[in-house]
């Protein structure tokens, strides 16, 4: 099912972990407006980068979220966040570009130099920028782009 010009619902729900554990990761009807909003916001991100976006994790039902070690309040469980990569450049380069061009987001996280997490709010986007790194085996979030 097509959500916007470049994004399908399937890209938001597919998960190798969900498949392996037979978790039904379909989006509940009440969260569909959030997923739709996220897809619309991602079109702006895609346009800004001028490159394709590969969603590595989109919507996560609570069962899947806990299996992948997500925090219970994760915006992924509300359909309001995605993790992605892009041939535009490194996660840091992607984040820098989105900040420089004034793209709206609630939270933008450069995660371990491996992917970008971007979250949106239906009401108020706070433009929070963080960098996730491993410290002593634990993930810590530093303020700003590192
Ligand atoms: Zn994420």
């Amino acid at each position: 099912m097509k959500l916007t010009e470049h994004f399908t619902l399937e890209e938001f729900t597919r998960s190798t972990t969900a498949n392996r554990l037979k978790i039904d990761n379909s989006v509940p009807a009440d969260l569909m407006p959030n997923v739709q909003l996220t897809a619309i916001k991602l079109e702006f991100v895609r346009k800004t980068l001028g490159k394709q976006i590969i969603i590595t994790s989109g919507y996560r039902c609570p069962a899947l979220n806990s299996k992948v070690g997500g925090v219970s309040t994760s915006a992924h469980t509300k359909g309001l966040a995605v993790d992605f990569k892009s041939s535009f450049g490194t996660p840091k380069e992607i984040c820098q570009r989105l900040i420089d061009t004034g793209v709206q987001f609630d939270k933008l996280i450069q995660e371990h130099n491996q992917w970008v997490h971007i979250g949106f709010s239906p009401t108020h986007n706070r433009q929070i920028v963080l960098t996730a790194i491993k410290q002593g085996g634990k993930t810590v979030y530093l303020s700003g782009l590192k």
Side-chain angles (χ1 to χ4, degrees):
M1 185 188 135
K2 204 166 162 168
L3 295 170
T4 59
E5 191 183 350
H6 299 103
F7 298 102
T8 64
L9 181 60
E10 205 266 330
E11 291 175 270
F12 279 80
T13 55
R14 71 177 158 212
S15 156
T16 48
T17 306
N19 286 348
R20 183 166 48 84
L21 300 172
K22 302 198 185 336
I23 293 169
D24 175 10
N25 192 44
S26 13
V27 178
D30 62 322
L31 293 181
M32 275 305 292
N34 286 356
V35 172
Q36 188 75 51
L37 173 92
T38 301
I40 291 167
K41 299 278 190 188
L42 279 181
E43 288 285 351
F44 286 106
V45 172
R46 189 186 191 279
K47 202 172 173 187
T48 300
L49 297 177
K51 296 280 182 186
Q52 195 185 354
I53 284 172
I54 298 116
I55 298 174
T56 54
S57 181
Y59 171 71
R60 295 179 200 151
C61 67
L64 173 61
N65 189 56
S66 85
K67 285 292 176 196
V68 297
V71 289
S72 62
T73 54
S74 168
H76 286 278
T77 63
K78 300 174 184 78
L80 287 171
V82 299
D83 296 339
F84 73 93
K85 299 178 180 190
S86 168
S87 57
F88 174 84
T90 64
K92 189 178 176 181
E93 288 167 345
I94 293 168
C95 290
Q96 192 64 62
R97 174 80 175 161
L98 299 182
I99 293 163
D100 291 347
T101 51
V103 165
Q104 272 192 20
F105 51 80
D106 187 52
K107 222 184 247 185
L108 182 69
I109 312 177
Q110 191 279 88
E111 302 233 31
H112 312 285
N113 293 313
Q114 289 180 42
W115 70 88
V116 176
H117 167 106
I118 191 163
F120 305 101
S121 163
T123 50
H124 178 63
N125 285 292
R126 297 173 292 173
Q127 305 294 121
I128 295 169
V129 179
L130 301 170
T131 299
I133 59 161
K134 285 270 189 219
Q135 232 167 42
K138 269 184 67 181
T139 297
V140 294
Y141 294 92
L142 311 175
S143 181
L145 263 192
K146 306 284 178 230

